[in-house]
Amino acid sequence: LGSFPDKFYLVCIGQAICAWGQPFIQNSPAKVAAIWFPDKQRALATTLGSVANPIGGALGLLVPPVVLAIADSIPVLLIVDAVLGVIAFLLVFFLFRTRPKHPPSITALRQQKQEE
């Protein structure tokens, strides 16, 4: 922003968009655990899903210096980041199902029947 002090409003808009999406991301591990895991495993699944968000943030801080040390180019870093993001999106989009074939618990079975 040092080069473009009159564009601070863009930073605020981007921050607001990120903040708007955060409740969906933070609350999704509990929903995934309720659909995919039996009662005895839900707490662990929710914990691991919740911890994955800050671990991803930490990796996002650690990986760029490594890429920049190899390529020494911000455009290359952005391309690597975009390619990794697109690969992750495609894997999730094509390989993940909405719910398991066989509900892991009675609660998941009831929820599946209510949605049908």
Side-chain angles (χ1 to χ4, degrees):
L1 273 176
S3 301
F4 304 101
D6 58 328
K7 304 289 185 191
F8 181 71
Y9 72 94
L10 290 175
V11 173
C12 293
I13 291 171
Q15 190 71 16
I17 291 170
C18 291
W20 178 77
Q22 198 66 10
F24 300 105
I25 293 169
Q26 294 295 339
N27 293 325
S28 62
K31 177 143 177 103
V32 170
I35 293 171
W36 282 90
F37 294 93
D39 296 335
K40 293 180 181 179
Q41 297 175 350
R42 283 189 190 161
L44 179 62
T46 302
T47 302
L48 293 175
S50 298
V51 170
N53 190 18
I55 289 174
L59 287 174
L61 293 173
L62 296 173
V63 170
V66 173
V67 173
L68 287 174
I70 295 169
D72 196 29
S73 171
I74 296 285
V76 171
L77 171 66
L78 295 176
I79 290 170
V80 168
D81 190 32
V83 167
L84 291 174
V86 168
I87 289 171
F89 168 75
L90 291 174
L91 287 172
V92 169
F93 188 78
F94 288 112
L95 298 180
F96 282 37
R97 296 184 306 242
T98 304
R99 60 176 53 92
K101 291 180 183 178
H102 306 289
S105 66
I106 295 173
T107 310
L109 179 62
R110 287 181 186 160
Q111 184 179 8
Q112 185 176 350
K113 286 185 178 184
Q114 285 179 349
E115 291 176 1
E116 290 176 357

